[in-house]
Amino acid sequence: MRYGVIGTGGVARTIADRLVGLGQEVTLGSRSRDNGTAVAWAAGAGENGRHGTFADAAAFGEVVLNATPGTVAVEALRAAGAERLAGKLLVDLSNPLVFSPEGELTLDPVNTDSVGERIQREFPEALVVKTLNTLTAALMVDPSRLPGEHNLFVAGNDPDAKARTVELLGTFGWPAGWVIDLGDITGARAMEMTMPFWLRLMGAFGTAEFNYAFKRAQ
Amino acid sequence: MRYGVIGTGGVARTIADRLVGLGQEVTLGSRSRDNGTAVAWAAGAGENGRHGTFADAAAFGEVVLNATPGTVAVEALRAAGAERLAGKLLVDLSNPLVFSPEGELTLDPVNTDSVGERIQREFPEALVVKTLNTLTAALMVDPSRLPGEHNLFVAGNDPDAKARTVELLGTFGWPAGWVIDLGDITGARAMEMTMPFWLRLMGAFGTAEFNYAFKRAQ
């Protein structure tokens, strides 16, 4: 299968590495075709790893993953091109983190909107699924780094697109039963709004390698 | 010990019942002295349960717990009176849930402020600790309803006030090791912003009786 990964940061490269390691073909997309990080990544990724523009990555992928920061995601996907996203599963991993002038971490959008919803509105023919924005990159692609069952979340309007996302997560090591369906794409709001909580927890735990697990009444 | 519980809703009465059950003295405070719910609660609570105004409850309590909705918490505590809160542990359990005209659940304040912070700013001489706003009332006072370890959170500016809160939670059944310290009162922002996530999870699980348990790298 061919994947387009939009973005060249740590999350993008972690996902791209994992996909290549699973034998998938990946184009890592950046704003410019000669982005040094993307060129270096492709050079090290072997024959299944390519680099290109956002548009190249979107055109290449049968599935497209957005791993840009949430604050620039819509702009990056516009550069990728609506026609190259139409009809495709578009997995959104982003969080719209903004540091306030006081140095506090805030979100934009928040509360009445989310990046996931913005992407779905902007690209109505794409099948947007929000997932993986609730934990650190190393855990996204290797849940066995933590003991026992812990949880991921998906939100999106298209049930089949969510099912395909759960399958993809399965190839990363996530049993389907660990993935909690939070409903339509407005669930992205709930997922993105956990970021301040996650950052406080990281401070309390002294590590980013932690994740949600839920206890429920038996 | 004497506790003033501000509010007469389900959370307020659940907390008040538990405190009375533990042999503590409680005044349940409402806007008006003859609030029917508060009168009925006190009638059923035995000799350690009283009812009164917000001011009566605040005056009575060596510790005061705010269990009003977050949207009216500051106003209720103003009625309670700053002079009756000064120097006291003020435990804030509230969430500022607001339904938008579209029927969506939102928060106000959110992102750059929180109810916990507003209360601390408005009553600088009170020792505000945010806790218990992240789970359903039945679990607040009986964590054994879920199997194994699961987590609570505290945030506040005064370390001693947080330690006293952890002790109080201990009397409800929460081992100190299950309570995660999220730092100063700005951590209330992170805690309140989990509400949309919690509500989506409740929908996914089909029950409000669930709670966070965190897996961490070993």
Side-chain angles (χ1 to χ4, degrees), chain A residues 120-144:
Chain A
Q120 186 62 85
R121 281 200 306 275
E122 179 83 12
F123 307 100
E125 294 182 64
L127 306 169
V128 179
V129 176
K130 186 95 195 181
T131 195
L132 288 173
N133 72 306
T134 52
L135 76 180
T136 199
L139 293 176
M140 291 179 191
V141 296
D142 185 5
S144 74

Side-chain angles (χ1 to χ4, degrees), chain A residues 59-78:
Chain A
F60 181 81
E62 299 165 271
V63 171
V64 178
L65 298 105
N66 172 50
T68 63
T71 45
V72 301
V74 168
E75 184 197 342
L77 291 169
R78 279 186 194 138

Side-chain angles (χ1 to χ4, degrees), chain A residues 15 18-19 22 132 140-143 168-174:
Chain A
I15 295 287
R18 183 70 162 126
L19 287 168
L22 290 164
L132 288 173
M140 291 179 191
V141 296
D142 185 5
L168 172 60
L169 296 169
T171 70
F172 292 173
W174 293 93

Side-chain angles (χ1 to χ4, degrees), chain A residues 2-20 24-61 63-68 76 80 93:
Chain A
R2 297 195 311 274
Y3 291 86
V5 175
I6 308 295
T8 60
V11 170
R13 285 177 283 126
T14 300
I15 295 287
D17 278 336
R18 183 70 162 126
L19 287 168
V20 166
Q24 312 291 358
E25 296 181 79
V26 175
T27 294
L28 195 69
S30 57
R31 199 164 300 275
S32 63
R33 187 167 275 122
D34 59 355
N35 175 292
T37 304
V39 171
W41 177 82
E47 61 179 12
N48 280 348
R50 297 167 181 78
H51 70 94
T53 62
F54 291 145
D56 293 335
F60 181 81
V63 171
V64 178
L65 298 105
N66 172 50
T68 63
L93 290 74

